[in-house]
Amino acid sequence: VQLQASGGGLVQPGGSLRLSCVASGFTSDNYAIGWFRQAPGKEREWVSSLSVSEGDTYYADSVKGRFIISRDNEKNTVYLQMNSLKPEDTAVYYCAAEEGTIVVVATIHVDYWGQGTQVTVSS
């Protein structure tokens, strides 16, 4: 299994970015894809999660109403649309997957990690 994340960059406060996570190697759709982030000097925290089979979505309170997680099953890709970005959203963002579940929220339960992509929100 491989997860390939991309889409990070530098954006001004109030701006938008879309992250992508391409998943490969799964033998079924019985897994969840999540996004985590880690700011300098802080622990990695959960941001959002999506059930690949059911399409159910979940968000941390800090991003609810601003971020949207979605999937394109034909492309095996999960997206994180980030709107109304704030400086405190600055972090390295990681996509992650946990098999046999509809939601992934805890780093200790993650089965697979993608590489990180840097998001910087600054004027």
Side-chain angles (χ1 to χ4, degrees):
V1 171
Q2 288 190 331
L3 302 174
Q4 183 73 31
S6 63
L10 172 64
V11 63
Q12 292 186 342
S16 298
L17 278 175
R18 189 178 76 161
L19 306 183
S20 300
C21 178
V22 180
S24 61
F26 288 99
T27 57
S28 77
D29 61 359
N30 184 26
Y31 63 97
I33 292 281
W35 287 95
F36 293 76
R37 66 187 182 186
Q38 187 165 20
K42 295 188 177 181
E43 292 189 353
R44 193 169 297 187
E45 66 173 359
W46 172 70
V47 174
S48 181
S49 181
L50 175 145
S51 164
V52 173
S53 60
E54 304 298 325
D56 297 334
T57 59
Y58 307 87
Y59 299 93
D61 288 343
S62 59
V63 306
K64 198 172 295 182
R66 300 188 296 123
F67 291 10
I68 301 171
I69 191 170
S70 63
R71 76 194 196 283
D72 183 333
N73 284 350
E74 289 189 359
K75 296 182 178 179
N76 294 324
T77 301
V78 171
Y79 303 99
L80 184 68
Q81 178 67 42
M82 304 186 296
N83 301 318
S84 302
L85 282 162
K86 305 175 182 180
E88 52 263 43
D89 294 317
T90 296
V92 178
Y93 284 71
Y94 300 88
C95 63
E98 181 181 348
E99 293 186 293
T101 184
I102 62 171
V103 60
V104 53
V105 298
T107 57
I108 61 172
H109 294 153
V110 170
D111 294 315
Y112 309 101
W113 289 100
Q115 88 287 6
T117 185
Q118 176 71 47
V119 172
T120 302
V121 184
S122 175
S123 55

